[in-house]
Amino acid sequence: ITARNDWSSRLPKESRSFFYPSFGLGFVFTDAFELPAWLTYGKARASYAIVGNYTPDIYFANYAYTNGSYDNTIYTNSFTSTVPPVVIEPEKTHSWEFGLELKALNNRIGLDLAYFTNETRNQILNITVPLSSGAEKMGMNAGTIKNYGIEAQINATPIVTKDFEWDATLNFSYTKS
């Protein structure tokens, strides 16, 4: 179990503080039950986590001037073309993972399977606005994206001698957004 709280000066005062926890659980069932001798190791696992994020833009939540010059003689200051957000919350990614790890024949062959799902809510984006507004973009929470998939890994040690050991790994993954 973990707990984290961040404070970001890049967000408005009312949403600067954001909390996110995580939980993980693993169960080594080969230690708990009497199983066939060829099954060396077996573990089931599950986890849930929330990860917070804020904008990388330093003045995202505030009006800021940009400095410029005209012909190196006249210095200018102007607002950026992106309007700061009226209300903004930090992004949060909610993740689940379920997995199974098996090793057999004295750890000479292994299998690791995982299913995962991630959903990022309140994505912080600069959205294009009509030029008649006097700006080009406005910062806001405007997106949600969900990813899910599976991962599988097969490990094997086909050759073991006194002077040589050959380990081989095959990995497969599938992700959909």
Side-chain angles (χ1 to χ4, degrees):
I1 297 173
T2 66
R4 181 172 171 163
N5 197 89
D6 284 353
W7 290 267
S8 173
S9 61
R10 294 182 183 185
L11 294 172
K13 190 179 290 186
E14 57 277 354
S15 59
R16 282 189 182 152
S17 174
F18 51 102
F19 173 77
Y20 44 101
S22 69
F23 310 91
L25 181 64
F27 177 63
V28 181
F29 55 85
T30 48
D31 289 347
F33 303 114
E34 188 74 28
L35 296 171
W38 59 265
L39 185 59
T40 313
Y41 180 79
K43 179 172 80 172
R45 65 183 184 273
S47 66
Y48 174 73
I50 299 174
V51 177
N53 191 24
Y54 55 89
T55 176
D57 299 334
I58 195 164
Y59 297 113
F60 183 78
N62 303 304
Y63 280 104
Y65 283 108
T66 57
N67 297 321
S69 68
Y70 176 74
D71 197 24
N72 291 325
T73 58
I74 301 172
Y75 293 98
T76 62
N77 290 309
S78 61
F79 282 118
T80 63
S81 61
T82 301
V83 177
V86 177
V87 177
I88 194 86
E89 294 180 27
E91 296 179 356
K92 288 192 178 174
T93 300
H94 300 253
S95 303
W96 285 96
E97 182 178 322
F98 302 96
L100 178 67
E101 186 178 352
L102 302 170
K103 294 181 182 178
L105 306 175
N106 205 21
N107 296 330
R108 295 280 299 267
I109 190 164
L111 175 67
D112 192 343
L113 299 171
Y115 170 79
F116 64 88
T117 180
N118 304 317
E119 183 175 311
T120 302
R121 303 173 189 161
N122 292 324
Q123 283 187 298
I124 299 173
L125 302 171
N126 286 322
I127 303 301
T128 303
V129 295
L131 291 176
S132 59
S133 68
E136 292 179 16
K137 298 179 180 187
M138 181 175 183
M140 63 178 61
N141 293 112
T144 297
I145 188 166
K146 187 173 185 175
N147 302 305
Y148 61 92
I150 59 169
E151 294 178 348
Q153 186 177 59
I154 298 172
N155 303 300
T157 307
I159 299 173
V160 177
T161 67
K162 179 182 167 198
D163 300 321
F164 179 76
E165 182 174 310
W166 175 30
D167 293 324
T169 302
L170 178 64
N171 190 41
F172 170 81
S173 65
Y174 171 80
T175 304
K176 182 146 177 126
S177 295

